[in-house]
Amino acid sequence: MPGTLPRNVVKADVASLYPSLMREYRIGPARDRLGVLVAIVDRLVDERLAAKAAARAAQPGSPERHTHEALSAAMKIVVNSAYGYLGAVGLTRFADVRAANEVTRRGREVLTLLCRELARRGVTLIEADTDGVYFAVPDDFSEADERRVVAEVAALLPARVHLELDGRYAAILSHEPKNYAL
């Protein structure tokens, strides 16, 4: 949206997209005949999502909430590194460019679906990447409308790919365009 300041902005978050795709489609390195990497990713993503849910359920500002938020953030770094291992040719035992490319291909499919389905529901796309999608909603949209749109699109995604409303903003300013901006 060059030249404009998008207003009534929503962020829909995709929780650990690449590791979730590895889990959903059992994408791991060919030499990992025991499926160890995907099994580890399964366990860590489940633990991350549990910590994220526990943080939301805890009292804002409480030590319990901070602990669960920190655990979720740490787990995010660890689970997202699994995809990096796939692409680290010559550096790791689990390197497999074909597997990394398959995860990337499926990630593009998911982002294309998200963008298409959000646009079909009358919102204006601002930016999309592997962390989620920012979009502007019409002035007459309520928070319930925003949540409905995100839930409808989330229902179209593969079972282990989770999309949720992650933020609502009066306006946003993207100070530096990304090469994958819409």
Side-chain angles (χ1 to χ4, degrees), residues 109 111-121 125 156:
E109 287 177 352
L111 287 175
T112 298
L113 173 74
L114 283 175
C115 293
R116 182 183 68 237
E117 292 299 324
L118 286 167
R120 283 186 58 222
R121 286 160 175 79
L125 298 167
L156 302 173

Side-chain angles (χ1 to χ4, degrees), residues 89-100:
V89 177
L91 299 176
T92 73
R93 178 168 294 280
F94 290 145
D96 185 330
V97 173
R98 286 190 195 127

Side-chain angles (χ1 to χ4, degrees), residues 15-55:
S16 299
L17 177 60
Y18 284 177
S20 296
L21 293 170
M22 291 171 67
R23 298 174 72 202
E24 177 71 19
Y25 298 105
R26 312 314 289 168
I27 303 168
R31 74 185 308 181
D32 180 12
R33 292 180 300 280
L34 298 176
V36 173
L37 183 62
V38 175
I40 291 169
V41 170
D42 275 338
R43 174 83 184 262
L44 294 176
V45 170
D46 286 343
E47 288 183 21
R48 175 181 181 235
L49 295 176
K52 194 173 179 182

Side-chain angles (χ1 to χ4, degrees), residues 31-137:
R31 74 185 308 181
D32 180 12
R33 292 180 300 280
L34 298 176
V36 173
L37 183 62
V38 175
I40 291 169
V41 170
D42 275 338
R43 174 83 184 262
L44 294 176
V45 170
D46 286 343
E47 288 183 21
R48 175 181 181 235
L49 295 176
K52 194 173 179 182
R56 271 195 303 278
Q59 184 70 26
S62 69
E64 180 183 32
R65 185 171 191 139
H66 291 302
T67 298
H68 289 299
E69 286 173 340
L71 181 58
S72 173
M75 298 300 275
K76 179 179 181 175
I77 293 167
V78 173
V79 299
N80 285 338
S81 71
Y83 168 76
Y85 267 73
L86 289 176
V89 177
L91 299 176
T92 73
R93 178 168 294 280
F94 290 145
D96 185 330
V97 173
R98 286 190 195 127
N101 288 343
E102 179 64 9
V103 172
T104 304
R105 183 185 70 76
R106 290 189 183 268
R108 280 193 306 268
E109 287 177 352
V110 167
L111 287 175
T112 298
L113 173 74
L114 283 175
C115 293
R116 182 183 68 237
E117 292 299 324
L118 286 167
R120 283 186 58 222
R121 286 160 175 79
V123 306
T124 302
L125 298 167
I126 300 168
E127 183 174 295
D129 62 24
T130 58
D131 290 325
V133 179
Y134 286 90
F135 57 91
V137 299

